[in-house]
Amino acid sequence: MDKSKQLFRRSFRRRLPPIESGDKIDYRNMSLISRFISEQGKILSRRVNRLTLKQQRFITIAIKQARILSSLPFRNNEKQLDRAELIPRTISPRTKKK
């Protein structure tokens, strides 16, 4: 084998699955569901989650059920509210002063 081919050989480490075999994917299991939601409240993609297609479908359904039942917010507005409080309100240049 050439040295050039040996340079491109990578060692892959198998990652542990994020969902164990004993974990129940359910809308009431908030500790499990919260791992698959971003800070903005969006459902993370399958590539980011490292889930199978079937697991991603079940997670998505569980998140949507939890949102409908109000155990999980649709959006996380905490950071936006903090940021809005820090920014001082100014008068826009379009408004005319009398």
Side-chain angles (χ1 to χ4, degrees):
M1 200 181 272
D2 292 348
K3 286 187 178 183
S4 61
K5 290 183 181 179
Q6 288 179 352
L7 293 176
F8 293 110
R9 185 177 283 185
R10 296 181 184 169
S11 64
F12 290 101
R13 187 177 68 169
R14 188 159 199 152
R15 294 184 180 180
L16 296 173
I19 297 177
E20 300 297 326
S21 59
D23 289 339
K24 186 176 180 184
I25 301 173
D26 194 18
Y27 68 93
R28 292 172 282 183
N29 193 351
M30 296 307 291
S31 61
L32 178 70
I33 288 176
S34 61
R35 287 192 279 171
F36 303 106
I37 298 176
S38 69
E39 291 179 5
Q40 292 83 25
K42 296 179 181 180
I43 302 172
L44 295 173
S45 70
R46 221 180 111 207
R47 286 185 206 153
V48 175
N49 290 338
R50 299 184 325 263
L51 296 174
T52 64
L53 182 62
K54 192 173 184 179
Q55 288 173 336
Q56 182 70 23
R57 266 194 239 121
F58 285 137
I59 286 290
T60 303
I61 291 168
I63 291 170
K64 289 179 179 181
Q65 285 176 343
R67 285 176 177 167
I68 289 169
L69 294 171
S70 299
S71 33
L72 189 69
F74 278 92
R75 286 196 295 172
N76 189 3
N77 292 330
E78 291 176 12
K79 288 191 176 185
Q80 292 175 356
L81 291 175
D82 292 340
R83 188 175 156 219
E85 291 172 1
L86 295 175
I87 299 173
R89 302 219 179 228
T90 58
I91 300 171
S92 64
R94 292 184 183 177
T95 59
K96 295 180 182 178
K97 294 182 181 179
K98 292 184 180 181

